[in-house]
Amino acid sequence: MSAPAAPAAPARRSSRSRTGVRMRIRKPWRLLAECVTVLIAALAAFPLYWMVLSAFKPAGEIRSDNPVPWTLAPTLDSFRRVFTQQEFGRYFLNSLLVAGAVVVASALIAFLAATAVTRFRFRLRTTLLILFLAAQMVPVEALTIPMFFLMRDIGALNSLLSLILPHLAFSLPFAIWMLRGFVKAVPEALEEQAFIDGASRSRFLWQILFPLVLPGLVATSVFSFISTWNDFLFAKSFIISATENSTLPMALLVFFDTETPDWGGVMAASTVMTLPVLVFFVCVHRRLVSGLGGAVK
């Protein structure tokens, strides 16, 4: 019984050798792909590195005709000039209030709207979804002047409300369309089972459906936060005379008032502006990855 089993060893060695050959063939291509990925990541991160480096460089090195990608005499003078600006702290707080209000309001409204267009059947539902897509195709610059007159007519100019409402309007179509896929992925049988167990519609909505679509809410919140935090167009157009309601991007204009721009101050202020975005991204990056994966699925 044991004699016929002897020829099996060369077959195993042959299969192992073929596997080793495949690994040796695939490894150079994998190494090349990894090198290309690292190169692309370095190119994408270089502007951020140069911004932070310029924020720590002395003024003489920033204005030098032969810039170098390092500094041997780092200084905090640029950051001191930024934080000694009289209104910088207020601008920072205004940006937090506007971005936070847009993120929370867009998440709640988009969640309810996505549930409505997914779970309920009503007239013009398809037309409404097409309008959501069409709204994302309109450039922001084309709507700035009409929205300026709208903010003026409702008396919202020179207030933080004039920044919250436009960003909320522009973030909702994307958020609703993205969350629609997450809500649709939740089986209707789960909803029926919750109703059989005695759960009301509101309880199913907030205790069952909401946690399941939370990764999608995080993903949409990141895009809403970044677009609102970095906004300059609306802040420049709608905040005319009430400078106390300006946001952080407007603070950069302080360093351009002189004939010679303070590039160190600009880079230091930009670095400070970037920190909240990085902190927010680090806090939600795990749910963001799962949310983007769910959106692609």
Side-chain angles (χ1 to χ4, degrees):
M1 295 296 294
S2 59
R12 292 197 194 97
R13 287 196 296 269
S14 177
S15 62
R16 290 175 183 173
S17 62
R18 286 196 297 269
T19 303
V21 171
R22 292 197 200 100
M23 292 298 293
R24 285 195 296 270
I25 293 175
R26 292 176 182 175
K27 192 172 181 180
W29 292 106
R30 181 176 180 180
L31 181 61
L32 178 61
E34 292 175 352
C35 292
V36 172
T37 303
V38 172
L39 179 61
I40 294 175
L43 291 175
F46 183 77
L48 182 64
Y49 165 76
W50 194 264
M51 177 187 70
V52 177
L53 175 67
S54 301
F56 287 97
K57 275 186 175 183
E61 293 186 13
I62 295 177
R63 298 191 182 96
S64 175
D65 294 333
N66 299 311
V68 292
W70 65 80
T71 179
L72 300 178
T75 178
L76 296 176
D77 291 340
S78 298
F79 289 96
R80 293 191 186 97
R81 292 194 300 274
V82 169
F83 288 109
T84 53
Q85 290 294 330
Q86 185 176 2
E87 299 292 338
F88 187 83
R90 188 177 184 87
Y91 292 167
F92 188 88
L93 180 60
N94 290 339
S95 292
L96 283 180
L97 290 175
V98 173
V102 171
V103 167
V104 173
S106 63
L108 292 178
I109 297 174
F111 170 65
L112 296 175
T115 304
V117 299
T118 304
R119 295 297 188 186
F120 298 101
R121 300 291 184 268
F122 52 89
R123 293 182 59 187
L124 303 179
R125 186 172 70 99
T126 304
T127 304
L128 185 62
L129 292 174
I130 295 175
L131 288 177
F132 287 153
L133 284 178
Q136 301 179 58
M137 302 177 186
V138 181
V140 177
E141 294 79 7
L143 297 177
T144 302
I145 295 178
M147 294 188 70
F148 173 84
F149 290 112
L150 177 62
M151 294 298 110
R152 184 197 62 181
D153 293 340
I154 65 176
L157 283 180
N158 290 317
S159 67
L160 296 181
L161 187 63
S162 66
L163 302 180
I164 294 174
L165 292 179
H167 284 293
L168 183 60
F170 279 102
S171 62
L172 278 177
F174 170 77
I176 294 172
W177 187 263
M178 188 170 182
L179 287 177
R180 177 176 171 268
F182 286 89
V183 177
K184 192 175 182 179
V186 177
E188 294 185 4
L190 183 62
E191 182 177 359
E192 296 173 357
Q193 184 63 42
F195 293 156
I196 292 174
D197 292 340
S200 61
R201 186 174 296 277
S202 60
R203 186 176 181 182
F204 169 78
L205 192 67
W206 297 110
Q207 295 186 8
I208 300 176
L209 185 60
F210 185 81
L212 292 175
V213 302
L214 186 59
L217 286 170
V218 171
T220 57
S221 297
V222 169
F223 291 107
S224 300
F225 182 85
I226 292 176
S227 62
T228 305
W229 184 265
N230 295 329
D231 170 65
F232 178 81
L233 180 61
F234 291 157
K236 182 65 175 176
S237 302
F238 302 153
I239 306 298
I240 303 172
S241 57
T243 56
E244 67 275 7
N245 291 329
S246 297
T247 52
L248 269 183
M250 297 295 295
L252 297 178
L253 295 179
V254 176
F255 302 100
F256 288 97
D257 286 346
T258 59
E259 295 182 359
T260 303
D262 184 3
W263 294 113
V266 172
M267 296 302 175
S270 300
T271 302
V272 174
M273 285 181 56
T274 307
L275 290 178
V277 179
L278 293 178
V279 171
F280 184 74
F281 181 80
V282 169
C283 293
V284 303
H285 75 282
R286 291 185 178 180
R287 291 189 177 275
L288 175 63
V289 172
S290 59
L292 293 176
V296 173
K297 188 185 298 182

